[in-house]
Tab-separated table of all heavy atoms in Angstrom:
chain	number	residue	atom	x	y	z
A	139	SER	N	-55.165	192.875	32.154
A	139	SER	CA	-53.931	192.715	31.408
A	139	SER	C	-53.851	191.282	30.866
A	139	SER	O	-54.281	190.312	31.529
A	139	SER	CB	-52.737	192.936	32.271
A	139	SER	OG	-52.787	194.245	32.797
A	140	ALA	N	-53.284	191.170	29.685
A	140	ALA	CA	-52.919	189.862	29.133
A	140	ALA	C	-51.703	189.318	29.834
A	140	ALA	O	-51.038	190.045	30.592
A	140	ALA	CB	-52.718	189.979	27.610
A	141	ALA	N	-51.350	188.106	29.520
A	141	ALA	CA	-50.200	187.461	30.138
A	141	ALA	C	-48.927	188.141	29.761
A	141	ALA	O	-48.709	188.566	28.667
A	141	ALA	CB	-50.105	185.993	29.753
A	142	HIS	N	-48.001	188.350	30.753
A	142	HIS	CA	-46.658	188.808	30.483
A	142	HIS	C	-45.768	187.566	30.244
A	142	HIS	O	-46.278	186.411	30.312
A	142	HIS	CB	-46.126	189.576	31.701
A	142	HIS	CG	-46.919	190.850	31.965
A	142	HIS	ND1	-47.108	191.828	31.052
A	142	HIS	CD2	-47.468	191.250	33.099
A	142	HIS	CE1	-47.814	192.770	31.614
A	142	HIS	NE2	-48.079	192.441	32.860
A	143	GLU	N	-44.497	187.737	30.016
A	143	GLU	CA	-43.626	186.604	29.790
A	143	GLU	C	-43.512	185.684	30.986
A	143	GLU	O	-43.665	186.195	32.093
A	143	GLU	CB	-42.232	187.047	29.273
A	143	GLU	CG	-41.487	187.896	30.306
A	143	GLU	CD	-41.700	189.369	30.156
A	143	GLU	OE1	-42.635	189.811	29.490
A	143	GLU	OE2	-40.875	190.115	30.659
A	144	PRO	N	-43.272	184.416	30.786
A	144	PRO	CA	-43.192	183.463	31.961
A	144	PRO	C	-42.154	183.937	32.972
A	144	PRO	O	-41.108	184.439	32.686
A	144	PRO	CB	-42.662	182.145	31.231
A	144	PRO	CG	-43.148	182.279	29.828
A	144	PRO	CD	-43.023	183.736	29.529
A	145	GLY	N	-42.604	183.831	34.276
A	145	GLY	CA	-41.733	184.272	35.368
A	145	GLY	C	-41.941	185.666	35.843
A	145	GLY	O	-41.432	186.061	36.867
A	146	SER	N	-42.829	186.420	35.155
A	146	SER	CA	-43.066	187.850	35.555
A	146	SER	C	-43.993	187.873	36.768
A	146	SER	O	-44.845	187.012	36.940
A	146	SER	CB	-43.792	188.607	34.408
A	146	SER	OG	-42.947	188.683	33.290
A	147	ARG	N	-43.746	188.896	37.616
A	147	ARG	CA	-44.565	189.006	38.820
A	147	ARG	C	-44.950	190.479	39.039
A	147	ARG	O	-44.208	191.358	38.581
A	147	ARG	CB	-43.862	188.553	40.066
A	147	ARG	CG	-43.590	187.033	40.059
A	147	ARG	CD	-42.960	186.496	41.354
A	147	ARG	NE	-43.793	186.630	42.515
A	147	ARG	CZ	-44.803	185.866	42.848
A	147	ARG	NH1	-45.171	184.873	42.082
A	147	ARG	NH2	-45.523	186.067	43.944
A	148	GLU	N	-46.109	190.714	39.671
A	148	GLU	CA	-46.476	192.091	40.043
A	148	GLU	C	-46.561	192.136	41.558
A	148	GLU	O	-46.833	191.154	42.217
A	148	GLU	CB	-47.842	192.445	39.442
A	148	GLU	CG	-47.801	192.787	37.981
A	148	GLU	CD	-49.102	193.251	37.455
A	148	GLU	OE1	-50.173	193.334	38.121
A	148	GLU	OE2	-49.119	193.562	36.191
A	149	HIS	N	-46.268	193.365	42.054
A	149	HIS	CA	-46.431	193.630	43.492
A	149	HIS	C	-47.306	194.878	43.584
A	149	HIS	O	-46.960	195.897	43.043
A	149	HIS	CB	-44.999	193.942	44.096
A	149	HIS	CG	-44.074	192.854	43.891
A	149	HIS	ND1	-43.650	191.965	44.915
A	149	HIS	CD2	-43.418	192.358	42.803
A	149	HIS	CE1	-42.847	191.052	44.518
A	149	HIS	NE2	-42.667	191.303	43.178
A	150	LEU	N	-48.435	194.725	44.189
A	150	LEU	CA	-49.407	195.777	44.343
A	150	LEU	C	-49.551	196.220	45.755
A	150	LEU	O	-49.993	195.413	46.603
A	150	LEU	CB	-50.798	195.321	43.787
A	150	LEU	CG	-51.890	196.396	43.864
A	150	LEU	CD1	-51.705	197.399	42.744
A	150	LEU	CD2	-53.268	195.706	43.724
A	151	SER	N	-49.103	197.393	46.055
A	151	SER	CA	-49.248	197.947	47.425
A	151	SER	C	-50.346	199.047	47.463
A	151	SER	O	-50.184	200.096	46.826
A	151	SER	CB	-47.906	198.608	47.888
A	151	SER	OG	-46.929	197.563	47.910
A	152	VAL	N	-51.469	198.774	48.132
A	152	VAL	CA	-52.545	199.669	48.140
A	152	VAL	C	-52.231	200.793	49.193
A	152	VAL	O	-51.973	200.529	50.369
A	152	VAL	CB	-53.873	198.953	48.480
A	152	VAL	CG1	-55.026	199.977	48.565
A	152	VAL	CG2	-54.202	197.925	47.460
A	153	LEU	N	-52.326	202.049	48.726
A	153	LEU	CA	-52.063	203.219	49.588
A	153	LEU	C	-53.335	203.716	50.175
A	153	LEU	O	-53.393	204.254	51.305
A	153	LEU	CB	-51.319	204.290	48.840
A	153	LEU	CG	-50.001	203.863	48.209
A	153	LEU	CD1	-49.406	204.981	47.344
A	153	LEU	CD2	-48.999	203.404	49.246
A	154	LYS	N	-54.396	203.722	49.338
A	154	LYS	CA	-55.709	204.310	49.745
A	154	LYS	C	-56.831	203.518	49.104
A	154	LYS	O	-56.733	203.140	47.938
A	154	LYS	CB	-55.794	205.752	49.301
A	154	LYS	CG	-57.030	206.534	49.695
A	154	LYS	CD	-56.993	207.935	49.209
A	154	LYS	CE	-57.988	208.044	48.069
A	154	LYS	NZ	-58.131	209.340	47.414
A	155	GLY	N	-57.812	203.148	49.872
A	155	GLY	CA	-58.951	202.414	49.343
A	155	GLY	C	-58.738	200.929	49.456
A	155	GLY	O	-58.024	200.399	50.288
A	156	MET	N	-59.402	200.226	48.539
A	156	MET	CA	-59.429	198.731	48.479
A	156	MET	C	-59.513	198.262	47.078
A	156	MET	O	-60.290	198.859	46.285
A	156	MET	CB	-60.609	198.219	49.346
A	156	MET	CG	-60.606	196.730	49.468
A	156	MET	SD	-61.832	196.192	50.748
A	156	MET	CE	-63.326	196.942	50.102
A	157	LEU	N	-58.737	197.336	46.727
A	157	LEU	CA	-58.688	196.795	45.263
A	157	LEU	C	-58.820	195.231	45.300
A	157	LEU	O	-58.419	194.600	46.246
A	157	LEU	CB	-57.429	197.192	44.589
A	157	LEU	CG	-57.222	198.667	44.325
A	157	LEU	CD1	-55.857	198.972	43.859
A	157	LEU	CD2	-58.251	199.108	43.213
A	158	GLU	N	-59.471	194.747	44.320
A	158	GLU	CA	-59.526	193.247	44.104
A	158	GLU	C	-58.497	192.836	43.065
A	158	GLU	O	-58.508	193.458	41.950
A	158	GLU	CB	-60.910	192.858	43.743
A	158	GLU	CG	-61.038	191.321	43.477
A	158	GLU	CD	-62.421	191.000	42.904
A	158	GLU	OE1	-63.327	190.765	43.728
A	158	GLU	OE2	-62.531	190.893	41.670
A	159	VAL	N	-57.700	191.836	43.311
A	159	VAL	CA	-56.752	191.325	42.339
A	159	VAL	C	-57.185	189.943	41.913
A	159	VAL	O	-57.512	189.124	42.749
A	159	VAL	CB	-55.304	191.226	43.034
A	159	VAL	CG1	-54.339	190.625	42.087
A	159	VAL	CG2	-54.836	192.586	43.433
A	160	SER	N	-57.112	189.691	40.624
A	160	SER	CA	-57.396	188.437	39.991
A	160	SER	C	-56.127	187.994	39.174
A	160	SER	O	-55.610	188.847	38.505
A	160	SER	CB	-58.557	188.444	39.017
A	160	SER	OG	-59.729	188.971	39.697
A	161	ALA	N	-55.709	186.736	39.485
A	161	ALA	CA	-54.541	186.277	38.744
A	161	ALA	C	-54.739	184.748	38.483
A	161	ALA	O	-55.480	184.057	39.149
A	161	ALA	CB	-53.282	186.484	39.554
A	162	THR	N	-54.109	184.281	37.382
A	162	THR	CA	-54.217	182.897	37.010
A	162	THR	C	-53.162	182.037	37.760
A	162	THR	O	-52.011	182.412	37.850
A	162	THR	CB	-53.978	182.742	35.473
A	162	THR	OG1	-54.803	183.644	34.828
A	162	THR	CG2	-54.184	181.287	35.064
A	163	GLN	N	-53.644	180.976	38.348
A	163	GLN	CA	-52.782	180.036	39.053
A	163	GLN	C	-53.206	178.624	38.701
A	163	GLN	O	-54.320	178.273	38.918
A	163	GLN	CB	-52.930	180.229	40.584
A	163	GLN	CG	-51.968	179.297	41.351
A	163	GLN	CD	-52.070	179.513	42.860
A	163	GLN	OE1	-53.050	180.037	43.324
A	163	GLN	NE2	-51.072	179.135	43.587
A	164	ALA	N	-52.273	177.890	38.062
A	164	ALA	CA	-52.498	176.477	37.648
A	164	ALA	C	-53.823	176.429	36.842
A	164	ALA	O	-54.660	175.635	37.085
A	164	ALA	CB	-52.573	175.597	38.849
A	165	SER	N	-53.916	177.319	35.914
A	165	SER	CA	-55.029	177.403	34.946
A	165	SER	C	-56.349	177.798	35.578
A	165	SER	O	-57.455	177.712	34.936
A	165	SER	CB	-55.187	176.157	34.024
A	165	SER	OG	-55.725	175.114	34.794
A	166	HIS	N	-56.386	178.229	36.851
A	166	HIS	CA	-57.582	178.717	37.532
A	166	HIS	C	-57.406	180.187	37.902
A	166	HIS	O	-56.335	180.601	38.297
A	166	HIS	CB	-57.869	177.916	38.796
A	166	HIS	CG	-58.266	176.485	38.510
A	166	HIS	ND1	-57.311	175.476	38.414
A	166	HIS	CD2	-59.438	175.870	38.258
A	166	HIS	CE1	-57.838	174.318	38.184
A	166	HIS	NE2	-59.173	174.544	38.067
A	167	MET	N	-58.484	180.945	37.790
A	167	MET	CA	-58.402	182.336	38.218
A	167	MET	C	-58.704	182.388	39.714
A	167	MET	O	-59.715	181.879	40.106
A	167	MET	CB	-59.432	183.183	37.420
A	167	MET	CG	-59.333	184.675	37.630
A	167	MET	SD	-57.782	185.392	37.034
A	167	MET	CE	-58.038	185.402	35.262
A	168	VAL	N	-57.754	183.056	40.466
A	168	VAL	CA	-57.958	183.222	41.918
A	168	VAL	C	-58.101	184.769	42.158
A	168	VAL	O	-57.580	185.555	41.320
A	168	VAL	CB	-56.810	182.682	42.718
A	168	VAL	CG1	-56.809	181.163	42.606
A	168	VAL	CG2	-55.484	183.206	42.286
A	169	GLN	N	-58.816	185.145	43.175
A	169	GLN	CA	-59.064	186.521	43.518
A	169	GLN	C	-58.821	186.771	44.966
A	169	GLN	O	-59.026	185.903	45.786
A	169	GLN	CB	-60.521	186.904	43.143
A	169	GLN	CG	-60.885	186.730	41.707
A	169	GLN	CD	-62.355	187.082	41.446
A	169	GLN	OE1	-63.129	186.956	42.340
A	169	GLN	NE2	-62.635	187.387	40.219
A	170	THR	N	-58.400	188.001	45.258
A	170	THR	CA	-58.248	188.399	46.676
A	170	THR	C	-58.463	189.919	46.766
A	170	THR	O	-58.291	190.632	45.769
A	170	THR	CB	-56.879	187.979	47.274
A	170	THR	OG1	-56.899	188.182	48.635
A	170	THR	CG2	-55.773	188.801	46.620
A	171	VAL	N	-58.846	190.348	47.949
A	171	VAL	CA	-59.050	191.746	48.202
A	171	VAL	C	-57.815	192.298	48.964
A	171	VAL	O	-57.314	191.604	49.903
A	171	VAL	CB	-60.287	191.984	49.013
A	171	VAL	CG1	-60.415	193.442	49.509
A	171	VAL	CG2	-61.566	191.576	48.225
A	172	VAL	N	-57.280	193.425	48.513
A	172	VAL	CA	-56.161	194.055	49.152
A	172	VAL	C	-56.573	195.378	49.639
A	172	VAL	O	-57.067	196.234	48.882
A	172	VAL	CB	-54.986	194.172	48.069
A	172	VAL	CG1	-53.725	194.618	48.765
A	172	VAL	CG2	-54.803	192.874	47.337
A	173	GLN	N	-56.366	195.630	50.966
A	173	GLN	CA	-56.854	196.910	51.588
A	173	GLN	C	-55.621	197.787	51.762
A	173	GLN	O	-54.457	197.382	51.605
A	173	GLN	CB	-57.442	196.563	52.896
A	173	GLN	CG	-58.651	195.690	52.749
A	173	GLN	CD	-59.421	195.476	54.033
A	173	GLN	OE1	-59.562	196.378	54.828
A	173	GLN	NE2	-59.870	194.238	54.286
Side-chain angles (χ1 to χ4, degrees):
S139 302
H142 298 304
E143 62 268 20
S146 297
R147 293 186 64 79
E148 284 185 359
H149 302 254
L150 179 77
S151 298
V152 178
L153 304 175
K154 183 179 106 180
M156 186 169 56
L157 293 167
E158 179 187 273
V159 175
S160 303
T162 306
Q163 181 180 20
S165 73
H166 294 90
M167 188 64 76
V168 294
Q169 297 175 339
T170 192
V171 171
V172 188
Q173 299 186 41

